[in-house]
């Protein structure tokens, strides 16, 4: 990882432009003193992807749960020129606005955004769900699996993920179609950033990090999960038989329960 | 654990386990670190020490957090109109941004809200003992410290606890610096230091003389121009009055764009002079003295309105004061003016009344500590001062990194003693180092630092401490 950087001349002299952000939430009826969770959707997804199941489920287990839409996604302000730095800024802004120190949960490229946000906000913990950290290896996998959806993105067009990449067969077709129809797109500068596998500065505050995913994910190969988990000093938790969108797929309850169990056990995250 | 009405000492199992040399009972707080003050610097010290695994007891003489920015505090120097001088990106803590919805230059009430949110977000209040004043800090054996406290105002018994380390974060903008003049005692008008100035109503209808052109003096002169029946502004030299916005952006952001490109100081000074010439123009035509120094050689003034009111006749620039008479003030050029209220905006001096001056290498008693990185004391590896800086920018980022560095130093003392020893040697070798270009000799510049030079030095210190 790169070094801790104190001098941030560019960030100071060119602050990220504010943008209106959508934040959805589900909070437990009784405050139990658990840390708030902030879910960060991947490129193309909005806060809605977590509002379907995970927010309510986390709240029912006593965790105040929030999800944001990165600028240009879901109900947030349009932002065709958004950069990865602007996305990380959105996450840090929402996290710092929560009443207590939050756990950041990023999915897909949202996990990369979380990795960058961790260098600017001392999260209580972080969870990287099916993390997309970019790089050429990932691109070639995506091109092989879904050339028509991936190639245009290389030239600044939208990245279109297919049903087969995102969900298992267990998910009813009609539901899958509904989700795919809701997908938007990330800014092209942010999409391009993925090609370079932009490395994050070290996390501040040394939060514990959990990596999880599915060995049958058609976007993120199991080897990538292992590599990213190793970077954070652990091994990935695996949920065989699920697609890339673990929060929407048929067996969505298993991964979120595993995350909440981990948080309950992890002393640093309490 | 504690509430704002709790007084006293934090040890639940308060078994006096040792005795101080004078035989007072002493409770040993083990590896806990003591933080003095819960202003911005103290709060970030608590947070960063906790984040690095240390227990913390913080003592705060007031009943709330925020220090100078809490206008309810009797020593708060802020007045109703105080806004930030540095724009948001330079002012906020580097890991807890101010909300996007706030303006470029937030108001002091927003700053207080920000520190309260910071304290709640990171659960810092439970480590603070409010209404408790530190009255003595004495070195003990093994590089530890005996800290004696009592309830603010001197009530209740004194208590002494022994700590592994101490962070002094008592602020340096609360003890007024007052100049002396011949005849001041006989003056029949009203006199106050700027620290007692709170509200423009205090000026309404009066003939006001403001002394000093730091940022406080300039702000008050502008308010006097709006509220008073007459306003004179006395300065003993000429200054560079810089606007808060240049080229359509906060001025500090434009300046840092140049710093990021490592444009040399001389070139930046030239660009700055040139920008001021284009915007503010030549001020000597209003009777303001010509600056006796280059830009950046006095603490920067950021005030877009002062020149405006001078230009509209609302502020009358006058030179230094010579002496006071019962109903008049004589100026250095021999003129006399007749104010009925004189406000000394002449700044502040640091005070560490709980510490023997020799600890800071100030046996002469000048009040000026000799430290490395404005924070570390030769011969006292477990003592740090946080916030004893006056940057050309916001200071909270600096206090944040000072306390991160101190927390990592304490970790190194435990895990890599040879690194900590090398650090201690650097403190001895480099105490007194400056982190700014040349500045005018004045006690107001004792702690002046250029934020870029200073943060680069802290970054180097961190890397030297931790390099593989
Ligand atoms: C009018 C004005 C405007 C300013 N504007 C800016 C600005 O725009 N940007 C900027 O960065 N800085 C500004 N400053 C500088 C200001 O000093 C800092 O912003 C900041 O308040 C310093 O924080 P601190 O925690 O170091 O000190 P303080 O805020 O002074 O806090 C010190 C705390 O320690 C407590 N304390 C002191 N002694 C004891 C003791 N013996 N025992 C227990 N508790 C004790 C005090 O009660 C206080 O709460 C301004 C200063 C003034 C005067
Ligand atoms: N955010 C804000 O809006 C804001 C507002 C006010 C202050 N501040 C900050 O608070 C700190 C303190 O500022 P300050 O303005 O109160 O004090 P300051 O910066 O120390 O300025 C003191 C002024 O008084 C003059 N002075 C001092 N002693 C004098 C004497 N004996 N005779 C004549 N003149 C004398 C100084 O002149 P010399 O230059 O000749 O020494 C200077 O002009 C600074 O860091 C400042 O930036 C911020």
């Amino acid at each position: 990882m790169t070094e801790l950087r104190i001098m941030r001349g560019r960030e100071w002299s060119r602050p990220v432009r504010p943008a209106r952000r959508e934040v959805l939430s589900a909070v437990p009826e009784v405050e139990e003193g658990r840390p708030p969770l902030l879910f960060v959707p991947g490129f193309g997804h909005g806060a809605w992807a977590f509002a379907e199941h995970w927010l309510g489920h986390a709240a029912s287990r006593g965790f105040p749960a929030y999800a944001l839409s990165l600028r240009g996604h879901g109900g947030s302000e349009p932002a065709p020129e958004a950069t990865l730095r602007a996305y990380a800024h959105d996450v840090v802004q929402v996290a710092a606005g929560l009443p207590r120190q939050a756990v950041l949960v990023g999915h897909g490229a949202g996990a990369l955004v979380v990795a960058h946000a961790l260098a600017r906000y001392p999260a209580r913990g972080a969870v990287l769900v099916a993390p997309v950290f970019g790089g050429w290896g990932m691109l070639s996998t995506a091109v092989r699996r879904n050339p028509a959806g991936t190639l245009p993105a290389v030239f600044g067009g939208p990245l279109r993920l297919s049903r087969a990449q995102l969900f298992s067969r267990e998910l009813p077709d009609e539901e899958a179609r509904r989700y795919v129809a809701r997908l938007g797109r990330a800014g092209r500068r942010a999409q391009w950033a993925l090609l370079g596998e932009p490395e994050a500065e070290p996390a501040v505050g040394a939060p514990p990090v959990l990596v999880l995913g599915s060995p049958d994910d058609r976007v993120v190969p199991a080897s990538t999960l292992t590599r990213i988990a190793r970077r954070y000093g652990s091994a990935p938790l695996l949920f065989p038989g699920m697609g890339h969108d673990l929060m929407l797929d048929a067996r969505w309850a298993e991964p979120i329960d595993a995350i909440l169990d981990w948080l309950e056990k992890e002393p640093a995250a309490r | 654990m504690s509430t704002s009405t709790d007084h006293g000492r934090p040890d639940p199992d308060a078994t006096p386990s040792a005795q101080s040399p004078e035989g007072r009972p002493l409770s040993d707080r083990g590896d806990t670190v003591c933080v003095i003050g819960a202003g911005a610097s103290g709060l970030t010290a608590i947070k960063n020490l906790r984040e690095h695994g240390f227990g913390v007891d913080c003592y705060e003489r007031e009943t709330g957090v925020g220090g100078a920015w809490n206008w309810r505090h009797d020593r708060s120097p802020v007045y109703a109109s105080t806004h930030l001088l540095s724009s948001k990106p330079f002012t906020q803590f580097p890991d807890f941004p101010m909300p996007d919805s706030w303006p470029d230059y937030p108001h002091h009430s927003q700053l207080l809200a920000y520190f309260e949110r910071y304290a709640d977000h990171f659960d810092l209040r439970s480590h603070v003992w409010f209404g408790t004043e530190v009255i003595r800090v004495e070195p003990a054996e093994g590089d530890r410290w005996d800290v004696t406290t009592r309830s603010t105002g001197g009530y209740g018994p004194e208590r002494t606890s022994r700590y592994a380390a101490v962070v002094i974060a008592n602020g340096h903008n609360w003890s007024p610096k007052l100049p002396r003049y011949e005849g001041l005692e006989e003056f029949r008008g009203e006199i106050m230091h700027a620290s007692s100035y709170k509200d423009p109503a205090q000026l309404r209808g009066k003939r006001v003389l403001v002394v000093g052109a730091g940022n406080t003096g300039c702000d008050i002169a502008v308010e006097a121009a709006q509220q008073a029946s007459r306003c004179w502004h006395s300065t003993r030299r000429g200054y560079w009055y810089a606007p808060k916005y240049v080229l359509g952006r906060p001025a500090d952001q434009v300046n840092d764009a140049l710093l990021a490109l490592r444009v040399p100081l001389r070139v930046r000074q030239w660009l700055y002079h040139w920008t001021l010439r284009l915007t503010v123009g030549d001020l000597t035509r209003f009777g303001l003295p010509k600056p006796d120094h280059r830009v950046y050689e006095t603490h920067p003034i950021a005030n877009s309105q002062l020149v405006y009111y001078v230009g509209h006749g609302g502020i009358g620039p006058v030179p230094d004061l010579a002496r006071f008479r019962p109903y008049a003030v004589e100026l250095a050029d021999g003129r006399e003016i007749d104010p009925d209220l004189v406000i000394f905006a002449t700044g502040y001096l640091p005070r560490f009344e709980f510490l023997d001056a020799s600890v800071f290498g100030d046996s002469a008693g000048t009040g000026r500590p000799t430290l490395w990185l404005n924070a570390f004391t030769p011969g006292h590896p477990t003592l740090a001062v946080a916030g004893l800086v006056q940057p050309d920018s916001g200071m909270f980022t600096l206090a944040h990194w000072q306390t991160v560095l101190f927390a990592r130093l304490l970790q190194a003392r435990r895990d890599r003693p040879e690194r900590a020893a090398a650090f201690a040697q650097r403190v001895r070798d480099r105490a007194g180092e400056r982190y700014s270009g040349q500045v005018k000799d004045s006690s107001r510049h004792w702690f002046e630092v250029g934020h870029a030079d200073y943060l680069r030095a802290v970054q180097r210190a961190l890397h030297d401490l931790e390099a593989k």
Side-chain angles (χ1 to χ4, degrees):
Chain A
M1 284 196 197
T2 56
E3 276 185 340
L4 177 75
R5 202 158 52 80
I6 291 181
M7 286 301 293
R8 298 174 184 172
R10 218 176 81 79
E11 286 163 55
W12 295 329
S13 59
R14 293 248 155 231
V16 171
R17 231 188 147 90
R20 191 173 34 74
R21 287 176 288 264
E22 172 187 46
V23 178
L24 304 178
S25 63
V27 292
E29 271 163 35
V30 204
E31 163 70 50
E32 297 175 37
R34 295 243 164 79
L37 309 183
L38 176 58
F39 292 95
V40 181
F43 290 4
H45 294 67
W48 60 266
F50 293 104
E52 286 288 326
H53 310 295
W54 279 18
L55 290 188
H57 190 75
S60 75
R61 283 190 54 180
F63 289 86
Y66 303 82
L68 85 151
S69 295
L70 298 173
R71 59 184 66 202
H73 290 81
S76 289
E77 197 172 308
E81 295 305 318
T83 57
L84 191 54
R85 174 157 82 98
Y87 290 158
H89 170 91
D90 288 340
V91 173
V92 174
Q93 277 283 320
V94 176
L98 297 176
R100 278 173 299 120
Q101 209 174 352
V103 174
L104 304 182
V105 186
H107 170 257
L112 176 66
V113 177
V114 164
H116 283 259
L118 289 177
R120 294 291 178 269
Y121 170 77
R124 200 183 297 239
V127 184
L128 309 178
V129 183
V132 171
F133 274 25
W136 289 100
M138 181 157 288
L139 177 72
S140 68
T141 313
V143 170
R144 221 165 343 106
R145 297 252 162 82
N146 176 11
T150 310
L151 279 173
V154 179
F155 303 100
L159 178 69
R160 291 239 171 269
L161 295 174
S162 66
R163 181 214 192 287
Q165 281 173 302
L166 297 179
F167 307 109
S168 68
R169 291 228 178 75
E170 279 172 65
L171 188 74
D173 260 342
E174 186 222 339
E175 232 175 289
R177 260 200 305 276
R178 190 158 58 82
Y179 296 147
V180 171
R182 290 193 77 168
L183 294 178
R185 61 159 301 183
R188 58 201 163 107
R189 293 169 70 189
Q191 272 180 193
W192 274 323
L194 276 186
L195 292 181
E197 193 166 3
E199 202 172 349
E201 287 170 41
V204 290
V209 177
L210 172 71
V211 177
L212 55 84
S214 162
D216 304 307
D217 184 334
R218 308 260 199 116
V219 179
V220 184
S223 59
T224 303
L225 291 176
T226 310
R227 186 166 53 85
I228 293 176
R230 194 172 297 143
R231 212 184 278 187
Y232 292 97
S234 67
L237 273 187
L238 294 177
F239 297 86
M242 298 187 72
H244 179 65
D245 277 3
L246 287 93
M247 65 287 188
L248 294 171
D249 210 345
R251 282 155 43 206
W252 58 264
E254 292 170 31
I256 183 67
D257 273 327
I259 291 172
L260 301 177
D261 291 347
W262 176 76
L263 286 174
E264 281 169 356
K265 282 195 220 95
E266 176 60 50
R270 252 181 282 157
Chain B
M1 174 160 90
S2 75
T3 67
S4 57
T5 52
D6 272 345
H7 290 213
R9 244 186 23 75
D11 193 1
D13 46 347
T15 38
S17 46
Q19 293 214 320
S20 71
E22 301 90 68
R24 273 176 281 134
L26 179 83
S27 84
D28 193 320
R29 298 290 292 143
D31 293 334
T32 307
V33 180
C34 173
V35 173
I36 303 172
S41 306
L43 289 175
T44 194
I46 307 173
K47 171 188 159 289
N48 287 321
L49 286 162
R50 299 272 314 140
E51 210 167 274
H52 286 79
F54 295 97
V56 177
D57 291 345
C58 171
Y59 298 107
E60 167 55 59
R61 62 186 297 282
E62 297 280 358
T63 53
V65 300
W69 294 96
N70 196 325
W71 52 270
R72 295 183 200 90
H73 293 173
D74 55 2
R75 289 173 174 179
S76 167
V78 305
Y79 32 87
S81 69
T82 308
H83 283 76
L84 280 178
L85 288 179
S86 43
S87 68
K88 271 195 301 180
F90 295 92
T91 311
Q92 63 206 3
F93 289 119
D95 58 356
F96 191 73
M98 292 182 183
D100 270 355
S101 57
W102 286 7
D104 287 336
Y105 296 103
H107 184 245
H108 72 77
S109 57
Q110 288 174 309
L111 261 276
L112 176 58
Y114 175 70
F115 295 126
E116 289 182 330
R117 281 203 14 239
Y118 184 78
D120 291 335
H121 195 86
F122 296 109
D123 189 22
L124 306 179
R125 287 183 215 258
S126 60
H127 307 282
V128 184
W129 295 85
F130 291 103
T132 307
E133 196 170 21
V134 170
I135 53 171
R136 266 192 309 281
V137 175
E138 298 152 304
E141 75 247 23
D143 290 329
R144 306 185 72 216
W145 295 90
D146 289 346
V147 176
T148 304
T149 60
R150 68 168 179 225
S151 294
T152 306
Y155 309 107
E158 294 182 5
R159 300 169 197 266
T160 305
S161 312
R162 184 161 290 181
Y163 289 96
V166 171
V167 177
I168 297 176
N170 65 333
H172 61 101
N173 278 323
W174 53 268
S175 177
K177 175 167 69 187
L178 274 167
R180 272 193 268 278
Y181 298 97
E182 186 189 326
L184 187 59
E185 290 72 30
E186 281 80 57
F187 182 62
R188 297 295 167 80
E190 197 185 337
I191 287 173
M192 65 164 86
H193 183 266
S195 55
S196 326
Y197 172 73
K198 294 292 153 203
D199 192 280
Q202 291 168 273
L203 308 172
R204 211 156 285 157
K206 301 209 171 118
R207 303 162 64 78
V208 178
L209 166 63
V210 180
V211 182
N215 285 296
T216 306
C218 293
D219 277 356
I220 299 178
V222 164
E223 295 193 345
Q226 296 162 344
Q227 304 290 338
S229 66
R230 182 89 205 254
C231 168
W232 296 277
H233 189 198
S234 158
T235 61
R236 60 180 177 185
R237 65 177 92 246
Y239 295 96
W240 300 95
Y241 298 95
K244 280 184 138 171
Y245 286 91
V246 294
L247 309 174
R249 299 182 40 216
D252 51 3
Q253 298 181 12
V254 175
N255 182 46
D256 257 57
L258 299 175
L259 273 178
L261 298 172
R262 299 216 179 217
V263 176
L265 176 66
R266 280 282 181 265
V267 179
R268 282 188 294 121
Q269 281 173 329
W270 180 81
L271 280 170
Y272 211 123
H273 287 185
W274 182 73
T275 320
L276 285 187
R277 198 148 268 280
L278 284 182
T279 49
V280 178
D282 176 8
L283 295 178
T284 55
R285 71 203 155 101
F286 298 122
L288 282 161
K290 192 171 151 57
D292 58 351
H293 55 276
R294 291 198 179 84
V295 159
Y296 302 123
E297 291 179 2
T298 49
H299 182 62
I301 298 169
N303 192 315
S304 301
Q305 291 171 285
L306 186 101
V307 172
Y308 175 92
Y309 281 105
V310 171
H312 287 64
I315 296 175
V318 294
D320 203 7
L321 312 186
R323 61 185 60 78
F324 279 76
R325 306 198 184 288
Y327 295 99
V329 177
E330 190 186 317
L331 305 172
D333 60 6
R335 269 188 296 161
E336 276 199 9
I337 55 175
D338 55 349
D340 44 29
L341 169 62
V342 181
I343 302 182
F344 290 108
T346 41
Y348 299 85
L349 284 170
R351 251 173 75 184
F352 305 95
E353 67 280 60
F354 44 77
L355 196 70
D356 193 293
S358 65
V359 172
F360 278 158
D362 175 32
S363 339
T366 59
R368 180 182 191 172
T370 304
L371 307 173
W372 183 46
L373 293 171
N374 290 33
F376 300 97
T377 323
H380 294 289
T382 52
L383 179 67
V385 191
L388 193 59
V389 282
Q390 177 167 278
D392 55 349
S393 176
M395 67 155 286
F396 314 125
T397 298
L398 279 61
H400 169 91
W401 292 115
Q402 288 176 329
T403 56
V404 167
L405 178 58
F406 188 54
R408 301 213 174 164
L409 173 64
L410 294 178
Q411 282 182 333
R413 278 175 62 81
R414 188 186 58 208
D415 306 331
R416 303 172 83 187
E418 74 293 349
R419 285 303 166 96
F423 187 95
Q425 188 55 46
R426 275 194 293 281
V427 175
R428 276 192 289 271
D429 295 344
R430 301 199 197 155
E433 205 171 71
R434 294 296 306 239
Y435 311 92
S436 63
Q438 195 192 337
V439 286
K440 276 275 155 192
D441 187 26
S442 168
S443 63
R444 69 185 290 226
H445 293 142
W446 280 356
F447 312 115
E448 188 75 15
V449 301
H451 69 287
D453 291 341
Y454 184 79
L455 289 174
R456 284 194 186 110
V458 172
Q459 173 127 31
R460 267 194 305 278
L462 259 175
H463 286 173
D464 289 346
L465 185 66
E466 306 202 320
K468 293 284 158 355

